Amino acid sequence: MLINMKKSSVGMKQIAEEAGVSMMTVSRVLRNESNVAAATEQQIRAIADRLGYKPNRLVRGMQSGRSGIVSVVMPAGHAIAPAILEGAYDYLHEKDMIMALDLVHGNLGERAFAEQGKVINRLLESRVDGFILLPVNEDASPLYFKEVIDRKIPLVLVDRNTTHFEADFVGTDDYAGGYEAARVLTENGCNSVVLISTGDFVSTSRLRSEGFKAGLKKFKVKLAADVIAPNFTHNADLIDHELAKCKGQFDGVFAIADRLAISAWHSCQRLKLKIPQQVKVIGFGALNLRDPRVAISSFDQEPYQIGQNAAKLLVERIEKGPWKLKPKPKTIMSTPKFVEGTSCSVVNDAH
Amino acid sequence: MLINMKKSSVGMKQIAEEAGVSMMTVSRVLRNESNVAAATEQQIRAIADRLGYKPNRLVRGMQSGRSGIVSVVMPAGHAIAPAILEGAYDYLHEKDMIMALDLVHGNLGERAFAEQGKVINRLLESRVDGFILLPVNEDASPLYFKEVIDRKIPLVLVDRNTTHFEADFVGTDDYAGGYEAARVLTENGCNSVVLISTGDFVSTSRLRSEGFKAGLKKFKVKLAADVIAPNFTHNADLIDHELAKCKGQFDGVFAIADRLAISAWHSCQRLKLKIPQQVKVIGFGALNLRDPRVAISSFDQEPYQIGQNAAKLLVERIEKGPWKLKPKPKTIMSTPKFVEGTSCSVVNDAH
DNA sequence: TTGTAAGCGTTATCAT
DNA sequence: ATGATAACGCTTACAA
């Protein structure tokens, strides 16, 4: 009772029949091989066009061992993800490769763990040519990517690095960024500042915090509070509470992510602390630049470039491979660029 | 001189050899067919596990005519896209399908047109099982999807509908949303309001505007200005300018997208117009709810649900297909839900 | 310049 | 309960 749809898809066989030649000749034309009579070639191309022939990538992949599919795995809802994605996409599109996207949910309970396994498995079964991974956290990902690493499939980490295994990495020099934040606050006259981070579960938060603290030590600025806000839902309240506690004891805030900086900005407003006159606020990510006139001063990570470079590096690995041994991992780290908003420098308060 | 990598990938053949059975038996076990001796089954599973066997989806796809890949095509940088994407992803993940993502850049010059063709072609070559499409604009997309429609490949439109061809649609009742916006402004005491839209190039802007204007007529409220801000970069300035021009002549603003409403909000601040006391502002999308205490009043489109429903409908089409004739297109439209922020109702100004 | 045959990894069909 | 063989759409190797 099943309807046979196979016929709807035009194959080389049909073209060969219509042209009165063998499939081989058709194949040669379609692959732009040289040894074909000009007349035959033209005729075959015409027929292929008329029939709307499309080569079957699944078959190509099966035979060549290269699917032309690249897997991109990211935490769902991460602010920097869309821009990285776009950068990666644009490069892959240029290379005529498919981008398979997987979104990993943050709460890593046992169930989420199982889901992750399902994701990797599906990707492995699809014979993807390589992975671009933004790890959920430093500890969890190695478990799932063990198999990827064992099979020596090209893998490029983006934004968040991991110390649990060696892999290519494209991202931001977060330590330097944190250090710079300390310098900027110092240069703008801060003496005692608050740090808001998400804790040590991801490299970005950890390194920005470390760099920031190193900077404070260097510039002899006091750390008034070290607020850890790992939870997405209650961050605003937590920050309200913590800043209220030390009101009057700080004149600067560095938050390792813009969304936290924005919360801090609103908290300060509620505490009647004028920004930037009484309190300077710096974020990280520079993602809220839609209306530059109310922007939080921040650091631009140039996420589009990160995505592009990651894809570029990955494709390089793919095209060079396969290897018996993995090549030496490469790290592409760019220094985040300070972006002046209206929340830090008093001088720049024009408008 | 080429290294033969094929060996690295374990196939059914190896398993069959190790187990001393035919490939068929292995195939049966791996597909959970019933007629296999319990002992043989266990042995085969053990070997498959030990060898780290993964079925090859490319081959499966080739044989079955179903790749297990769904294509999602969206305009790059569209605010609602990530949430829709996530909804679609979660459902596809459940169904163990791959989500291939393509990001289309907005500027539809001739070059962009060619790029779009490349995208569709790649997807067709990959034998994707179906498409979820958020059209860039109403006029452009039909050109590219002609082939998809001709081939009767399942296609679900999301968020933006098109009148150029009939297809499944999952999205928002934008007309009703616009009408509601007029009602809410009226009920909050507005007498003369400004509409900010992006023009008629996409159904969402057009329908929200039409609904809004119909509401104004019904509720006898004056339209003080009909601002069209299609350009992403200079919107803020344009809105500044337009609102300044009619200062004192309006007590309400409806913007068909939150990002425009935010611009309007800032413009009002600069014009020393108190929100919501002197001017009520309503947006659309409800995407800026991170910190509900400073939110623009808006309409929630529940984009995650849209994505999920689109994926669900698409998979339904895929699993039921193939058809000789396309089934009657289905429309799933949900009424946008008004979300009270702090920019509209004076009563709700607590905190 | 063109064709033949084998094979890629798996499943469907028909035996045994 | 298990196996042999063809088939999926295409490419590579080897003729002719």
Side-chain angles (χ1 to χ4, degrees):
Chain A
M1 228 3 153
L2 282 168
I3 306 148
N4 186 6
M5 274 302 280
K6 296 293 161 56
K7 306 220 155 161
S8 74
S9 165
V10 189
M12 291 199 330
K13 192 142 56 180
Q14 288 89 315
I15 300 178
E17 274 168 18
E18 285 223 25
V21 295
S22 80
M23 277 177 55
M24 244 342 274
T25 309
V26 177
S27 174
R28 278 196 259 264
V29 171
L30 266 27
R31 278 176 300 136
N32 308 312
E33 254 199 35
S34 34
N35 299 328
V36 189
T40 325
E41 173 168 351
Q42 279 201 307
Q43 189 205 7
I44 289 177
R45 281 202 198 289
I47 297 177
D49 263 26
R50 180 160 50 74
L51 265 42
Y53 171 78
K54 307 269 180 230
N56 187 328
R57 281 197 184 217
L58 301 173
V59 174
R60 284 242 170 106
M62 176 185 94
Q63 296 193 154
S64 65
R66 274 185 49 185
S67 60
I69 304 174
V70 162
S71 155
V72 177
V73 181
M74 308 218 149
H78 189 28
I80 201 180
I84 292 181
L85 208 59
E86 201 178 321
Y89 173 77
D90 284 352
Y91 190 79
L92 295 175
H93 168 69
E94 214 173 87
K95 287 285 179 176
D96 207 21
M97 300 184 95
I98 299 267
M99 182 172 85
L101 177 64
D102 279 274
L103 266 16
V104 174
H105 292 276
N107 293 332
L108 289 174
E110 269 180 44
R111 189 152 166 198
F113 264 58
E115 293 293 285
Q116 271 245 40
K118 190 177 165 190
V119 168
I120 301 303
N121 213 50
R122 179 167 60 220
L123 264 5
L124 255 14
E125 290 181 1
S126 298
R127 303 297 190 265
V128 298
D129 295 336
F131 292 86
I132 293 176
L133 168 67
L134 204 170
V136 173
N137 75 42
E138 277 187 83
D139 293 333
S141 297
L143 260 93
Y144 297 108
F145 280 82
K146 186 187 178 319
E147 219 169 334
V148 172
I149 292 163
D150 286 352
R151 290 175 188 246
K152 300 186 189 73
I153 303 170
L155 164 62
V156 176
L157 260 33
V158 288
D159 189 46
R160 296 175 181 165
N161 209 337
T162 177
T163 52
H164 292 246
F165 57 85
E166 283 221 317
D168 292 318
F169 173 71
V170 180
T172 308
D173 187 340
D174 290 303
Y175 187 93
Y179 192 92
E180 268 306 292
R183 177 200 302 282
V184 172
L185 287 178
T186 306
E187 286 175 353
N188 279 281
C190 294
N191 292 308
S192 176
V193 298
V194 174
L195 167 63
I196 304 176
S197 77
T198 56
D200 286 347
F201 294 104
V202 298
S203 65
T204 45
S205 173
R206 184 169 45 77
L207 292 170
R208 285 168 206 169
S209 298
E210 285 173 13
F212 184 67
K213 287 175 182 170
L216 295 188
K217 194 166 267 176
K218 172 76 176 179
F219 303 122
K220 301 196 167 51
V221 170
K222 201 190 150 202
L223 182 63
D226 188 352
V227 179
I228 293 173
N231 185 313
F232 268 32
T233 26
H234 300 303
N235 275 339
D237 293 329
L238 174 69
I239 290 168
D240 258 6
H241 183 245
E242 293 295 328
L243 291 188
K245 270 206 319 201
C246 55
K247 182 180 179 180
Q249 296 164 49
F250 69 95
D251 51 13
V253 175
F254 172 52
I256 61 97
D258 280 344
R259 82 192 142 75
L260 299 173
I262 290 170
S263 288
W265 189 76
H266 291 307
S267 294
C268 289
Q269 289 213 313
R270 270 172 236 115
L271 294 171
K272 309 289 180 209
L273 294 168
K274 282 235 181 309
I275 296 173
Q277 292 81 358
Q278 294 169 274
V279 175
K280 329 285 179 206
V281 176
I282 297 183
F284 208 102
L287 295 166
N288 62 325
L289 299 174
R290 287 251 166 90
D291 187 336
R293 284 162 293 197
V294 291
I296 297 277
S297 298
S298 186
F299 286 91
D300 188 356
Q301 303 184 68
E302 301 185 337
Y304 183 90
Q305 308 303 334
I306 292 178
Q308 268 219 321
N309 288 332
K312 201 178 271 178
L313 178 53
L314 186 71
V315 169
E316 219 172 78
R317 299 300 202 196
I318 291 170
E319 287 179 346
K320 218 168 184 180
W323 298 268
K324 298 129 288 192
L325 291 160
K326 273 216 154 187
K328 195 173 154 34
K330 204 166 162 179
T331 293
I332 304 178
M333 271 204 320
S334 59
T335 306
K337 280 151 199 65
F338 182 68
V339 179
E340 192 69 89
T342 58
S343 68
C344 183
S345 166
V346 180
V347 182
N348 249 36
D349 202 22
H351 236 299
Chain B
M1 233 358 159
L2 283 169
I3 305 149
N4 185 6
M5 277 302 281
K6 298 290 163 57
K7 306 221 157 162
S8 73
S9 165
V10 189
M12 290 199 331
K13 191 139 60 178
Q14 288 89 316
I15 299 178
E17 274 168 17
E18 284 221 25
V21 295
S22 80
M23 279 176 55
M24 256 331 284
T25 309
V26 177
S27 175
R28 277 196 258 266
V29 171
L30 267 25
R31 276 176 301 137
N32 309 310
E33 255 199 34
S34 36
N35 298 328
V36 189
T40 324
E41 173 168 351
Q42 279 202 307
Q43 190 205 5
I44 289 176
R45 282 204 197 287
I47 297 177
D49 262 26
R50 180 159 50 72
L51 265 42
Y53 170 79
K54 306 270 179 228
N56 187 329
R57 282 197 182 218
L58 302 172
V59 175
R60 285 236 172 112
M62 176 184 95
Q63 298 196 150
S64 64
R66 276 185 45 187
S67 61
I69 304 175
V70 161
S71 155
V72 176
V73 181
M74 309 220 146
H78 189 30
I80 202 180
I84 292 182
L85 208 59
E86 202 177 319
Y89 174 77
D90 284 351
Y91 189 78
L92 295 175
H93 168 69
E94 215 172 86
K95 287 284 181 178
D96 207 20
M97 301 185 95
I98 298 267
M99 181 173 85
L101 177 64
D102 280 273
L103 266 15
V104 174
H105 291 275
N107 293 331
L108 287 176
E110 270 181 45
R111 190 154 165 195
F113 264 57
E115 294 291 287
Q116 271 244 44
K118 191 177 164 188
V119 167
I120 302 303
N121 213 49
R122 180 167 58 219
L123 263 7
L124 255 14
E125 290 181 1
S126 299
R127 303 295 190 266
V128 298
D129 295 335
F131 292 85
I132 293 176
L133 168 68
L134 204 170
V136 172
N137 76 43
E138 276 187 84
D139 293 334
S141 296
L143 261 92
Y144 297 109
F145 280 83
K146 186 187 178 318
E147 220 169 330
V148 172
I149 291 162
D150 286 352
R151 290 174 187 247
K152 299 185 188 76
I153 302 170
L155 164 62
V156 176
L157 261 31
V158 288
D159 188 47
R160 296 174 182 167
N161 209 338
T162 178
T163 52
H164 292 247
F165 56 86
E166 283 221 316
D168 292 318
F169 173 71
V170 180
T172 307
D173 187 341
D174 290 305
Y175 187 93
Y179 192 92
E180 268 308 291
R183 176 200 301 281
V184 172
L185 287 177
T186 306
E187 286 176 353
N188 279 281
C190 293
N191 292 307
S192 175
V193 298
V194 174
L195 167 63
I196 304 175
S197 78
T198 57
D200 286 347
F201 294 105
V202 297
S203 65
T204 45
S205 173
R206 183 168 45 76
L207 292 171
R208 285 168 205 169
S209 298
E210 286 173 13
F212 184 67
K213 287 173 182 169
L216 294 188
K217 193 166 269 176
K218 172 76 178 178
F219 303 122
K220 302 193 166 50
V221 170
K222 199 189 152 205
L223 182 63
D226 188 352
V227 179
I228 293 174
N231 185 314
F232 268 32
T233 25
H234 301 303
N235 274 339
D237 293 330
L238 174 68
I239 290 168
D240 258 5
H241 183 247
E242 294 294 329
L243 291 188
K245 269 207 318 204
C246 56
K247 182 180 179 180
Q249 295 164 49
F250 69 96
D251 51 14
V253 175
F254 171 51
I256 61 96
D258 280 344
R259 82 192 143 74
L260 298 173
I262 290 171
S263 288
W265 189 74
H266 291 308
S267 294
C268 289
Q269 288 214 314
R270 270 172 235 115
L271 294 170
K272 310 286 176 210
L273 294 168
K274 281 232 181 311
I275 296 173
Q277 291 81 359
Q278 293 170 272
V279 176
K280 329 284 178 208
V281 177
I282 296 185
F284 209 102
L287 295 165
N288 62 325
L289 298 174
R290 289 250 166 90
D291 187 336
R293 283 162 293 198
V294 291
I296 297 278
S297 298
S298 185
F299 287 91
D300 188 357
Q301 303 184 68
E302 302 184 337
Y304 183 90
Q305 308 302 335
I306 292 178
Q308 269 219 321
N309 287 333
K312 200 177 271 178
L313 178 52
L314 186 72
V315 169
E316 219 172 78
R317 299 300 201 195
I318 291 170
E319 288 180 345
K320 218 170 185 181
W323 299 268
K324 298 129 288 189
L325 292 160
K326 273 216 154 188
K328 195 172 155 38
K330 203 167 164 179
T331 292
I332 304 178
M333 269 202 323
S334 59
T335 307
K337 280 150 199 65
F338 182 68
V339 179
E340 192 68 271
T342 58
S343 68
C344 184
S345 167
V346 181
V347 182
N348 248 35
D349 202 23
H351 237 300

